[in-house]
Amino acid sequence: VQLQASGGGSVQTGGSLTLACAGSGSIFSINQMGWFRQAPGKQRELVAVITSGGRTTYAQPVKGRFNISRDNAKNTVWLQMNALKPEDTAVYFCNLYIAGSYDRQTENYWGPGTQVTVSS
């Protein structure tokens, strides 16, 4: 199983970016999908998660600005980020709970980080 992330970049305050993370390989199903971020000198923190049923949870700092969505057929999760602020600057990581095709056991996978920089 491999995860590929895309969509990071640099924007000014108030701008928007959309991150995408796609899983590939021997995937039977994907349960929870989520995004975390890590700013310099800080611990990695939850941004948003979405369950297989579509239920979403957001960290308080991003509520009302970010939207997480998924496409089960494409094994893909997106994070639409609007009204970006300098404090959103961080490396963003996707996190997927994937059941493999061979043994149907669920394992936790992290995607490669993608940099998001918001300038004032």
Side-chain angles (χ1 to χ4, degrees), residues 89-109:
T89 295
V91 178
Y92 284 69
F93 299 88
C94 58
N95 180 258
L96 277 59
Y97 283 86
I98 298 174
S101 297
Y102 299 114
D103 57 10
R104 310 287 173 89
Q105 295 296 311
T106 297
E107 295 186 19
N108 187 226
Y109 292 86

Side-chain angles (χ1 to χ4, degrees), residues 57-103:
T57 301
Y58 295 92
Q60 188 62 42
V62 307
K63 279 184 178 179
R65 300 188 297 121
F66 290 13
N67 182 67
I68 188 171
S69 60
R70 63 188 287 169
D71 185 326
N72 293 329
K74 296 180 179 179
N75 294 329
T76 299
V77 60
W78 292 273
L79 184 69
Q80 181 178 357
M81 304 182 293
N82 301 315
L84 282 161
K85 305 174 181 180
E87 49 264 44
D88 295 318
T89 295
V91 178
Y92 284 69
F93 299 88
C94 58
N95 180 258
L96 277 59
Y97 283 86
I98 298 174
S101 297
Y102 299 114
D103 57 10

Side-chain angles (χ1 to χ4, degrees), residues 11 13 29 31 35-36 39 50-52 60 66 70-71 83 106:
V11 296
T13 298
S29 65
N31 299 318
W35 289 94
F36 290 71
I50 184 168
T51 67
S52 57
Q60 188 62 42
F66 290 13
R70 63 188 287 169
D71 185 326
T106 297

